[in-house]
Amino acid sequence: MNRTLLVARHEYGRQARRRGFLLATFGLPLLVFAGYTLLFLYLLNSVRPEASIGYVDPGGLLTDVSLPEPAAGEDPWVPLQPFADEAAAEAARASGQIAAYAVIPPDYATSGALTIYGVETLSPNGRTTLQAALNRGLLAQAGTPPAVAERALEPLGEIDARTPAGAVINQLAPIGRGIVAIMGSLLFMVTIFFSASYLLQALVEEKENRTMEVVTTSITPWQLIGGKTLGLGLLGLTIALAWLGVVAIAWMVGRAFFTPLREVPLPLDTLVPLLFVLPLGYLLFAGLMVAISAVVTTAQEGQQFAGVVTLTAALPLMATAIFFSDPNGLIATFLSLFPLTAPVGMALRLVTGAVPLWQLVLSVLLLALAAGLAVWGAARIFRVGMLQYGKRLSLQDTLRALRTP
Amino acid sequence: MTDLLVIDHVAKSFAQTVAVRDVSFRVGAGEIFALLGPNGAGKTTTIRMVLNIFTPDRGTITLFGQPPGAQARDRIGYLPEERGLYRNLNLLDCLVYLAGLKGLPAGEARRRLSGWLERFDLANHTSKKVGDLSRGMQQKAQFIAALVHEPELLIVDEPFAALDPVNTRLIKDVFYERAAQGRTTIMSTHQMHLVEELAERLVMIHQGEVVLAGTVRAVRQQFAANAVLVEGQGQLERLPGVVAMEPQGENGTVLLRLADQTTPQQVFRALATQSAYTVEHFAVALPTLDEIFVRVVGGERAVEVGA
C-alpha cells in the first residue's frame, strides 16, 4: 500500500476508535437532538390548545361574530362557548366542559379590560382564536363593512414581493438563507477545525511518544504530514457529515410537525463555490497546525497556540449579524477576503448577499496563496522542530528554519 | 570486505554549535561495528546524517553505494536512543503499522512478528497497550520493530539499556545471527565489555572528531603498556627484563611490567626455564575498552590511528 495512504488509514482508524471522536461525532449532535426533542415534547404538551373556551359577554360584542374556516395548513380555531353569566361559566369550567372563560365587560371597546378565569395563560391557539373573535367584534361594532373588516384584520396578507426586475420573491427565503448560512458555515468550521485540531494533536503525539525519529527513517516528512493531513481531513469530514445527517433528520422531523417549515426554501446551491474553498481552507489550517506542532513540546501547549488561530477563523460567525445586515459592507467583505477568516466569511456572504465574481475569485486566490505559504513554511519549521523532544523552538529558531532552504 | 557505509570527512553544525567537526570511517558488510564516544560527542548527529534525517554541511556519505536517500530507507533498521512507540495502541497493531511503514504488507508482518514476539517472550502481551508494558518489554518491542523487515543495516543506539542478562543474551544472539547472514550492525553503546565481546571494529568520536578507530584488538594493543599477565603454580623468581611484578587479585595472576627493550616472547622463554614455576596462563596485558575510553576522553591518544 502507498505509505501516505497507510499513514492516512492508520490515523483515521486510530482517532476514530477514540472515545473523544465518538462523542464529538455522534454524542454531541444526538445530545442536542435529544434536548430539542424533549423541549419540543414539553412545548407540545404545555401549549396544547384548550378543548373549548367560554366567555361572558354582557355587552354583546361577540354576538354576531363568526370566525371563517381556517386556511389550509393552519391550526383550527378553539371553540368559543357563550355563557349568560359568570356563575354558569364557572360551573362549566368546574365540570370540565370548558378549560377557561373570559369576561368581556360592556366598556371593553374603550377600556380594553378583560379577565380570564381558569388558566394562567391561554395557549397560543386559544389566544389567537379569542383575539380574532374580539377583532371581528370590535370592527363590526364600529360599523365597518365586512370586506374592509377582513382587509383590516390581515392588511399584509396578499403581499406580492418582487425583485426590481420583476421576479417573484419567496418571503420565506431570508429564513432559509439564514438557516443555510449558519449551518453551512458551522459545518465548514467543524470539518476544518476538527481536522486541524486532530492533526495538531497527532503530530505533537509523535513528538511526545518519541516516535518521530523512527517514523522519519521509514518515510519522508512529506509522506507523514500528507498521510496525517489526508486521514484526519477525512475524519473531520466524517464528523461534519454525521452532524449534517442529524441536522437533516431534525429538519425533516421539523417539517413534518411544523407546516410553515415546508414553505421555507433552502438555497443549498449557493454553497457550491465553497467546494473550492473547503480544501484550500483545510490546507491553510493544516499548514498552521503542522508549524505549531513543530514548535511546541506538548499537546496542551499546542492547543493554546491553536486556540488563537481558531478564534480568528471563527470571527465571521461572531459577527453574523453584520453579514445579514450589510453582506457587501466593508467588514463583511474584508472578512470574506482575509485568508484566515475567508472560509467562514465567504460561506456567510454567499448565502446572505450577492458576492461579485471578482471578490469570489480574489478570495480563493488569496486563500490558495496563504495555504501554499503555510504548507511551505510548515515543512521548513517541521523539518527542524520534529526532533526537538521536550524543547520548544524559539522564535529565532523558527525564523532561521524558515530562511534555511 | 565490501564497504556498506563510507563516511568521508563529514561535518555538521547547528547555528553556532558544531555537532560534528570531521568524521570519517567505513563499515563493511556483515560487520558488527561499534560507534563509541562520550555524551554529546556527535554520534547521534552522525547516525542521523547516515539516516538522511540531516544533510551534512561538508563531506560525503555513501550508503549501499549511493548517497543516503529514500532508496535506502527499507534496507535500514533503527533503534534510536530516544525510545518511542505508540503508547495508546496495542503492541501488535503498533508493530504491524511500523513494519508497514518499512514496506511489509500487514499479513507478512504478522507472520514474521509472531516468531519474533515468541522469541522475545512478548507473545502473551500482544493485545496490551504499549504504554502498559514494562520498560524492558517496550525496549524489546522496539528492537523487534527495528529488525522485522530484515534490514541489511541495523543501527542501534544503546541496545542493551534496561535489559536483564537473559534479554541481553537474546539481543547478542540476534547480532551474531545477522553477522552470519552477512547483515551489518552498527551499535552505539557505553557498555564497553559488550563492545569487546561483540564488535570486530570500532570508531570513537570525541568533540565531533574521530579519535580512535580500528579493530577492537588493534585498539587495545595500541593502548597496551609493555606488560604481560602470568598465572601459574609455584614460586615465581625474578625475571630478566621485568621491572615490576604486581599480583592481581587472589587467583595468583601476576602482572609483569617489562623494560622498554624487553618483549613478551623473551619473558615467556625465561619463564619456561624456571623449574619451580609452572605456567598455566600467559597473555599480553591489554587494557579494557573501558580504560581506553576514559584515557581517550581524558586527552590521551593512541600511537597510530587508522580507519
Side-chain angles (χ1 to χ4, degrees), chain A residues 3 206 209-210 213 217-218, chain B residues 48 74 78 82 84 86 101:
Chain A
R3 294 186 204 179
E206 294 276 2
N209 283 332
R210 306 285 197 265
E213 197 164 2
T217 54
S218 303
Chain B
R48 285 177 177 176
D74 294 351
Y78 180 41
E82 290 278 4
Y86 296 99
L101 293 182

Side-chain angles (χ1 to χ4, degrees), chain A residues 3 6-7 10-11 14 17-18 205-206 209-211 213-221 223-224 228 383 386-387 389 400, chain B residues 15 44 48 51 53-54 70 73-74 76 78 80-89 93 97-98 100-103 106 142:
Chain A
R3 294 186 204 179
L6 176 69
V7 175
H10 170 76
E11 283 302 330
R14 191 161 74 102
R17 282 198 293 268
R18 288 192 170 176
E205 268 181 11
E206 294 276 2
N209 283 332
R210 306 285 197 265
T211 39
E213 197 164 2
V214 168
V215 170
T216 50
T217 54
S218 303
I219 53 174
T220 64
Q223 285 175 312
L224 177 70
K228 283 182 187 287
R383 195 183 47 187
M386 65 181 180
L387 297 178
Y389 300 138
R400 191 182 301 115
Chain B
T44 302
R48 285 177 177 176
L51 295 168
I53 295 174
F54 298 149
R73 283 204 170 91
D74 294 351
I76 303 175
Y78 180 41
E81 185 184 13
E82 290 278 4
R83 307 281 193 261
L85 293 166
Y86 296 99
R87 299 176 60 80
N88 291 324
L89 286 186
D93 287 348
Y97 173 62
L98 290 174
L101 293 182
K102 284 291 186 187
Q142 190 147 10

Side-chain angles (χ1 to χ4, degrees), chain B residues 104-123:
Chain B
L104 272 190
E108 175 63 12
R110 283 174 195 278
R111 191 186 65 74
R112 290 193 195 179
L113 282 168
S114 68
W116 283 111
L117 290 166
E118 195 69 50
R119 182 171 178 183
F120 279 84
D121 201 22
L122 289 171

Side-chain angles (χ1 to χ4, degrees), chain B residues 64-254:
Chain B
F64 304 121
Q66 297 176 59
Q71 77 287 345
R73 283 204 170 91
D74 294 351
R75 301 168 73 182
I76 303 175
Y78 180 41
L79 176 74
E81 185 184 13
E82 290 278 4
R83 307 281 193 261
L85 293 166
Y86 296 99
R87 299 176 60 80
N88 291 324
L89 286 186
N90 76 43
L91 177 61
L92 189 61
D93 287 348
C94 177
L95 292 177
V96 168
Y97 173 62
L98 290 174
L101 293 182
K102 284 291 186 187
L104 272 190
E108 175 63 12
R110 283 174 195 278
R111 191 186 65 74
R112 290 193 195 179
L113 282 168
S114 68
W116 283 111
L117 290 166
E118 195 69 50
R119 182 171 178 183
F120 279 84
D121 201 22
L122 289 171
N124 292 328
H125 305 280
T126 51
S127 54
K128 280 186 186 165
K129 280 193 174 177
V130 170
D132 294 337
L133 299 176
S134 72
R135 196 167 154 226
M137 284 178 176
Q138 288 187 34
Q139 158 113 350
K140 288 192 286 183
Q142 190 147 10
F143 186 70
I144 292 171
L147 53 76
V148 67
H149 58 292
E150 296 174 358
E152 290 161 65
L153 172 62
L154 177 66
I155 302 177
V156 286
D157 205 340
E158 289 298 349
F160 305 104
L163 293 184
D164 59 36
V166 175
N167 287 309
T168 299
R169 166 56 54 193
L170 266 173
I171 303 267
K172 283 196 285 189
D173 288 346
V174 172
F175 287 172
Y176 287 133
E177 283 168 22
R178 284 179 49 78
Q181 293 162 358
R183 298 179 192 277
T184 309
T185 301
I186 298 177
M187 93 180 143
S188 172
T189 180
H190 289 139
Q191 289 174 278
M192 296 300 156
H193 65 284
L194 290 170
V195 175
E196 284 174 21
E197 186 184 340
L198 290 167
E200 293 146 39
R201 294 194 309 127
L202 65 85
V203 68
M204 183 170 164
I205 301 174
H206 183 41
Q207 294 175 341
E209 292 179 311
V210 172
V211 289
L212 203 59
T215 63
V216 172
R217 182 165 181 80
V219 166
R220 291 179 72 192
Q221 280 171 343
Q222 284 167 27
F223 280 81
N226 198 15
V228 294
L229 282 168
V230 176
E231 195 182 321
Q233 300 290 330
Q235 182 62 41
L236 186 59
E237 301 293 336
R238 188 167 181 77
L239 292 159
V242 174
V243 294
M245 293 168 53
E246 298 169 9
Q248 306 283 299
E250 300 292 315
N251 61 353
T253 304
V254 181

